[in-house]
Amino acid sequence: MRLSAGFLLWAATASSIVRAESETTISRASTTDLVVPTTDASVVSEAYNNKVDRGFNYLDDQIKKNARRKAQAAEFEEIFSILQEYQSRVDKKNEQLLLQQKGAESMLKIRRDISQDMPELLRAPFQTVQQLISRVVKWGPHRGNAQMTAGQRKKPKELQAAVQKLERLADNGFEEAMVLRAQMKMYGQYSFPMDLKAAFAEYQQISETTGNAEAQYMLGFFYSTGIGGVPQKNSLALLYTSMAAMQGHIAAAMAMGFRMKMGLGVPADCTEALGYYQLVARTAIDHYLSGPPLGRTMPEYRIRLSDETQGVYGVKTGPYSLHRATGREDFDELVEYYRFSAQKGNLKAGLALADLYYSGHQHKPRNYTIAARHVRHVLSQIFTADGKLQADLTQAEVNVAGHAAGLYGIMLLRGEGVEEDTRLAAKWLEIGTKLGHGAATNALGYMYRHGIEVAASDEDAIELFKKAAEKNHSGGQVNYAMAVMLTMPKSAMSSLNRAARNGNVLAHYTLGQMYAPGVKQPDIKCHLAVASFCFVAENADWLHSPFPEAAAAFRRGDLAASALHYLRAAEMGYSVGQLNAAMLLEHAARVTNDSQQPSAAALYQTQEMLDRHAMVYWTRAANQNIPDARIKQGDHFYYGRGAERNPTKAAAAYRIAADAEKNGLAMWNLGYMFENGIGVARDFHLAKRYYDSSLEVNDSGRLAACASLVRLCAKYLWAWARGEDVGDAPLFFAPRLVTKAKEATGTGNGNSNGAYRAADMQNDNDNDDDDDNNDSGSGSGRDTVEDQNKNANHKPQQHLLPANQHGDVGFQPDEWDLGGDALDGEADSDELGSEEETTVGESVFFVVLFLAAAWMFLPLR
């Protein structure tokens, strides 16, 4: 090898010498008109020998470097496997112990410490009682000290040796080892304690010496969030993140796309955002198509911490508060019931278990082997040995047979849980197709298109794709659209749009590609393309998702590491990441962490910084239609946490949550503010309207709403007795008809209409002091309360709607009860007057009853 390489180098050197010498000779001849071929043989020989020596030395160096790098890479792989094995053991042990105690969701204490709202005279005794109770709990049998910090764990000798080897590799400049050492300090892994300052210094050194994209991305993350005491500098965050994105770093490109789309720290630029999101989407789709037939399985479900804690506030506050309300214990009981039913011969239960293990769940990871066992058990009960259906089956059992046959055929085609067998897969897919299973029909069409175990036929494939599309299978809709795009474009676009509505990432990517070429003309096309590519980037995120690490850290009780991963997801634009990061930041300071793991509060130096960043992520989550996030934004303005106290902005946020989400807690908050004139003009009628609306939509707050109505009645009567303006109509009487003239001037039933319009105007004029709450590091100059105006009329996303078989979407604004009897549109004023006279006695009775209740248990404010 050395001889052949040397010969090639000698030939190249000799030819270059001859060429250079001839050029020199020609140049001299042109200037002197004399051709004197004077060449010194010794000079040529010396130059030739020097170049040959340098060439051989360069080759030797490269060979040595490659050999050294291969040896370092092999050693690094060995070290990494040891570290991974150790960390997996520790994580599994911590997770099991945590589940034995209280469960991971109990790590978050949702309810606020009420002692802060008590008078000074009662605060000290109450806190003393709290401390005594806490000590008793810690000394009791349920004390949770199972976990230890990384520095307290006893390190095995094998682990110590692996860490020492890793340190040596990193000191010798091996890039992967340097990055891994920085990650260990960043997240507190592999026996290293969490040290954000040291991790920042490591990333800085790696970036300066090697230009590593991961190091540059993490530096941008530090400067963007300000964790670990690093000063927030939006300019440096943009610089490092964009540098990493230019090197093809997927997470950095996604973070830059989100900044450009939302205008965080930079002017909003749809074209720039499109470029970044298109890069991420193209990489994701390439990875999706590189998998088994029909594409890779989509990533598993992203856990919302609000679902783990029964809502952002610990209770359900509205119809959309919970995305998935099934707790772990209820889920385990349900699985046991299905397992018992399947053993008794229930076909639907067996098929449900097969689907559960095949698709995975929040509380149950995928397991193809168990799924295959369940589906084979179902097939053995429905089909005979020669593959025919049993006699006397009901239509429901026939449907189960088609589903089971199709699922088993797909597993055979893809080799999931069973050995890949295309011949047997074709057999079961044929059966599933005949029985009307959409997924089986689409898979069989795929086999006809590619000629797998059948003769390739585009006509048969298109026919099968069309049948699958008619059964609303998203894969069949995409395949049919791609097959007939040139011949039947209208039908293809219709099918493609239906697939996109069903959440198919390939359909979204195709639509994005269609919209992208014309982005320089109508602006709407650019936004449509960005939305399509963004959907792909956020849902087909096998290569760049921080959620698996975040969820694993949360399950083992490491809230600081979990918060870091969720912060990364939030900076990348994930709405679920913004929700989870805000929850961890807001509640971390109140976590009872017996494991002594560093809480998320350690990420920031002061409580004010913690509150400010929590508010930033609540606002971003609210702008992406996350339920209850808008109320949290209002709470921060109301209490002055992370921003200057501004009840007017708090009321504006509550009104958006009440109108868009039909949130009962937001309605109650608005009722309280109208009752006391906090941030809005005092209006007893609007207060009662919101209290009544809260009663309608939120059963969890029924006691609070009823008690508030009692207090409202007392305040109303007290204000009426003092001669204050309480409106034209009595509070608990039937309201009078309001003429169009009075409605136009804002008079009539009290001053409610005028106050409502005043609140509207105030909501529209909330743009005056957004710089007071500017997230300099995260570039959230526009990420404040005025952003809620553009989402004021947005409805929650379709996947957040409650599961209701009748299609109801909850309480509507036109159903709000103003109190009293409902008005008949054909009744005249005389009838209404007589009705009012007949109900005076009942109204006085209820007023007296409310006052008696208020006197007994409610203090008058």
Side-chain angles (χ1 to χ4, degrees), residues 472-506:
N472 203 32
H473 186 267
S474 63
Q477 290 165 346
V478 173
N479 290 329
Y480 176 71
M482 301 299 291
V484 301
M485 182 64 70
L486 298 179
T487 57
M488 294 184 291
K490 290 185 178 180
S491 178
M493 285 299 299
S494 176
S495 182
L496 205 59
N497 285 319
R498 290 199 304 271
R501 286 194 295 270
N502 289 332
N504 189 284
V505 292
L506 191 57

Side-chain angles (χ1 to χ4, degrees), residues 284-305:
I285 290 299
D286 289 343
H287 186 71
Y288 169 73
L289 296 177
S290 67
L294 304 175
R296 293 183 183 272
T297 305
M298 298 304 295
E300 294 187 4
Y301 172 75
R302 297 176 189 132
I303 296 176
R304 296 176 179 230
L305 299 186

Side-chain angles (χ1 to χ4, degrees), residues 543-564:
L543 302 177
H544 56 273
S545 175
F547 286 101
E549 295 86 354
F554 181 77
R555 284 195 300 268
R556 66 175 181 264
D558 191 352
L559 298 186
S562 180
L564 284 173

Side-chain angles (χ1 to χ4, degrees), residues 210-214 216 242-249 279:
T210 66
N212 183 273
E214 176 68 17
Q216 291 173 345
S242 60
M243 289 172 61
M246 284 189 292
Q247 295 191 60
H249 194 281
L279 169 65

Side-chain angles (χ1 to χ4, degrees), residues 340-654:
F340 176 78
S341 299
Q343 291 174 354
K344 295 296 183 179
N346 190 315
L347 298 178
K348 288 186 177 180
L351 184 60
L353 287 173
D355 281 335
L356 169 66
Y357 283 103
Y358 184 79
S359 302
H361 187 270
Q362 174 183 354
H363 303 306
K364 186 71 68 174
R366 291 190 181 104
N367 192 320
Y368 294 131
T369 303
I370 298 179
R373 185 169 70 242
H374 282 294
V375 75
R376 278 196 296 260
H377 180 68
V378 172
L379 292 174
S380 64
Q381 295 177 283
I382 300 179
F383 290 91
T384 61
D386 56 353
K388 295 182 179 180
L389 283 173
Q390 299 279 1
D392 300 330
L393 293 178
T394 64
Q395 185 59 43
E397 292 173 336
V398 172
N399 294 338
V400 170
H403 191 153
L407 178 59
Y408 190 54
I410 292 173
M411 296 178 73
L412 288 167
L413 177 64
R414 296 163 58 90
E416 294 171 331
V418 293
E419 186 177 353
E420 182 179 343
D421 189 338
T422 55
R423 183 187 60 80
L424 195 58
K427 169 191 170 183
W428 285 109
L429 290 177
E430 287 276 4
I431 296 174
T433 300
K434 291 179 181 178
L435 296 177
H437 188 241
T441 308
N442 176 63
L444 188 61
Y446 178 88
M447 298 185 74
Y448 272 98
R449 171 189 281 181
H450 297 279
I452 303 175
E453 295 295 337
V454 292
S457 173
D458 290 339
E459 292 78 8
D460 293 339
I462 293 175
E463 185 64 26
L464 289 169
F465 289 149
K466 184 178 180 180
K467 290 181 179 178
E470 291 172 351
K471 296 183 179 299
N472 203 32
H473 186 267
S474 63
Q477 290 165 346
V478 173
N479 290 329
Y480 176 71
M482 301 299 291
V484 301
M485 182 64 70
L486 298 179
T487 57
M488 294 184 291
K490 290 185 178 180
S491 178
M493 285 299 299
S494 176
S495 182
L496 205 59
N497 285 319
R498 290 199 304 271
R501 286 194 295 270
N502 289 332
N504 189 284
V505 292
L506 191 57
H508 277 278
Y509 180 75
T510 306
L511 288 174
Q513 291 288 81
M514 291 179 178
Y515 291 128
V519 296
K520 293 183 179 180
Q521 300 172 0
D523 190 56
I524 185 64
K525 284 191 175 181
C526 179
H527 290 288
L528 289 174
V530 168
S532 296
F533 288 137
C534 182
F535 182 89
V536 177
E538 292 185 357
N539 290 276
D541 54 354
W542 301 275
L543 302 177
H544 56 273
S545 175
F547 286 101
E549 295 86 354
F554 181 77
R555 284 195 300 268
R556 66 175 181 264
D558 191 352
L559 298 186
S562 180
L564 284 173
H565 289 296
Y566 281 130
L567 281 172
R568 286 179 51 221
E571 290 295 315
M572 293 164 67
Y574 289 97
S575 59
V576 177
Q578 291 159 357
L579 166 67
N580 293 347
M583 286 192 66
L584 285 173
L585 292 179
E586 181 164 309
H587 303 298
R590 295 184 293 277
V591 168
T592 303
N593 199 342
D594 294 330
S595 65
Q596 300 181 4
Q597 292 276 18
S599 69
L603 305 183
Y604 294 100
Q605 305 300 311
T606 63
Q607 185 66 36
E608 190 275 334
M609 292 179 64
L610 196 67
D611 289 338
R612 181 160 61 88
H613 285 82
M615 181 182 178
V616 166
Y617 293 116
W618 281 127
T619 302
R620 293 183 182 178
N623 289 340
Q624 299 201 63
N625 298 320
I626 292 294
D628 290 345
R630 187 69 69 191
I631 310 177
K632 278 293 184 181
Q633 182 196 32
D635 291 346
H636 278 265
F637 278 118
Y638 185 87
Y639 294 105
R641 295 197 299 263
E644 184 179 354
R645 190 173 186 273
N646 193 325
T648 302
K649 290 185 176 182
Y654 293 146

Side-chain angles (χ1 to χ4, degrees), residues 799-820:
H799 69 275
L800 299 180
L801 294 177
N804 191 320
Q805 60 180 346
H806 303 294
D808 299 333
V809 294
F811 193 67
Q812 298 297 326
D814 57 353
E815 298 172 351
W816 284 2
D817 182 14
L818 298 178

Side-chain angles (χ1 to χ4, degrees), residues 54 61-62 81 96 107 197 214 266 269 360 485 510 541 545 564 652 671 688 740 742 799 833 856-857:
R54 285 199 300 270
D61 291 340
Q62 291 300 315
S81 63
Q96 290 175 349
M107 298 294 294
K197 292 184 178 179
E214 176 68 17
V266 292
D269 191 330
M485 182 64 70
T510 306
D541 54 354
S545 175
L564 284 173
K688 184 178 184 300
K740 293 184 177 180
K742 288 185 177 181
H799 69 275
M856 286 187 294
F857 62 87

